Amino acid sequence: MIDGAKNGEPGKQDEHQHDHDGHHGHAHSHGDGHHSHAPTVSRNNERVVLIGLCLTAGFMVAEFVGGWLSGSLALIADAGHMLTDTAALGLAWASFRFGRRGGDEKRTFGYMRSEVLAGFVNALALFLLTIWIAYEAVERLITPEPVLAGPMLVVAILGLFVNIGVFLLLMRGDRDHVTIKGALLHVVGDLLGSVGAITAAVIIYYTNWTPADPILSVLMSVLILRAAWALLRSAAQILMEGTPSNIEIEELRRYVLNEVTDVSDVAHVHVWSITSGRPAATLEVSLAQDGDAATVADRVKAVLARRYDIRHATIEINWGQHPADCPLEAPA
């Protein structure tokens, strides 16, 4: 268990302060109202995402095989876009699944970051897939190849129905949950990909104009590239311990100073994400004259949780006149 110290009771509060050479104190409380490493997870969300993941992954393979056999690059590109959906749903399911697992002596934050590592690798793979599709599209524009429009159309229509089914399934989950929202957006993008593949198949079927297939595949590759770039940027930001995009350090400092009257200064603020949507922070506060040292850490934690949804914060109390230099900050 992460919260509740050794006895496994999350409601217990464990406060400890350390005096470093008589100058600094460290307060870090583990209380229900302050933070939790493991988020509350709806099993219904996990179930609908898992079913959607299985449907999307299964048809992704079928669509890739169908595209290969029919000679349709657009189907293969759509399968590539379904791969982004599979990745999104897989990461969503992993965040629900691993979010319930506690940490241990070697992994104090549990296994939450595994989804970020998977997302980073997946994004790189999608870039390679996009390059291959673009190369094949150019080759087919120069030297057109036959496309079996009938089988292509059947597979594309089946893909459309699968995507509609996954969309309706996810709508049964908690649509206010950020992970479910992200998965829904991916599926909507794949719906557009299926429509594109159907359009290419209809054009080829009635006009025998095969360049429609590589042209539509390039357009769908743009969707893949956009999703891959967003995934890569998000994963890299988390892996680099970057500040979450919705938090500004200086604004956070001012907000804490305004809200907690016993604090006279806030320094050495570091905010990062353990995984997507799970921010954490460390900071040092200086007490105002006659400030209440016994409760200041809890009050700062409450402010961070309320305004920034930071559920894990470590607050260090500066007992000296001036904050010590932070070795992580670049020299002026």
Side-chain angles (χ1 to χ4, degrees), residues 177-201:
H177 196 290
V178 65
T179 304
I180 298 292
K181 281 184 178 180
L184 280 169
L185 289 175
H186 276 274
V187 174
V188 169
D190 202 52
L191 279 169
L192 297 177
S194 294
V195 172
I198 291 172
T199 303

Side-chain angles (χ1 to χ4, degrees), residues 94-115:
S95 68
F96 289 140
R97 187 69 175 178
F98 293 128
R100 294 201 306 268
R101 298 182 63 176
D104 52 36
E105 291 295 327
K106 294 185 178 295
R107 300 174 185 85
T108 57
F109 283 110
Y111 296 81
M112 292 183 183
R113 190 155 286 191
S114 58
E115 63 169 295

Side-chain angles (χ1 to χ4, degrees), residues 32-194:
D32 254 359
H34 303 297
H35 72 269
S36 171
H37 296 275
T40 300
V41 175
S42 165
R43 290 188 178 274
N44 180 59
N45 284 342
E46 182 180 337
R47 183 174 61 256
V48 298
V49 167
L50 179 59
I51 296 173
L53 169 63
C54 293
L55 289 173
T56 304
F59 194 80
M60 175 195 70
V61 175
E63 190 169 39
F64 180 84
V65 172
W68 187 269
L69 294 177
S70 66
S72 171
L73 193 60
L75 279 184
I76 295 177
D78 192 43
H81 194 252
M82 288 192 80
L83 178 61
T84 68
D85 294 343
T86 301
L89 291 168
L91 294 178
W93 179 79
S95 68
F96 289 140
R97 187 69 175 178
F98 293 128
R100 294 201 306 268
R101 298 182 63 176
D104 52 36
E105 291 295 327
K106 294 185 178 295
R107 300 174 185 85
T108 57
F109 283 110
Y111 296 81
M112 292 183 183
R113 190 155 286 191
S114 58
E115 63 169 295
V116 181
L117 292 173
F120 188 83
V121 173
N122 179 64
L124 295 179
L126 289 172
F127 275 109
L128 295 177
L129 176 64
T130 303
I131 293 172
W132 178 80
I133 290 174
Y135 174 79
E136 282 291 317
V138 172
E139 288 287 310
R140 294 192 181 199
L141 286 173
I142 297 173
T143 308
E145 296 185 10
V147 176
L148 302 177
M152 175 185 176
L153 181 60
V154 171
V155 174
I157 291 175
L158 289 175
L160 179 64
F161 281 115
V162 169
N163 287 317
I164 291 174
V166 173
F167 179 82
L168 294 176
L169 183 67
L170 291 176
M171 290 287 286
R172 296 171 57 186
D174 180 8
R175 282 173 286 171
D176 291 329
H177 196 290
V178 65
T179 304
I180 298 292
K181 281 184 178 180
L184 280 169
L185 289 175
H186 276 274
V187 174
V188 169
D190 202 52
L191 279 169
L192 297 177
S194 294

Side-chain angles (χ1 to χ4, degrees), residues 217-241:
S217 70
V218 170
L219 293 178
M220 282 185 280
S221 295
V222 174
L223 295 177
I224 300 174
L225 191 62
R226 182 179 178 182
W229 174 248
L231 182 61
L232 181 68
R233 184 175 59 183
S234 176
Q237 176 75 355
I238 293 174
L239 293 174
M240 290 295 292
E241 306 284 3

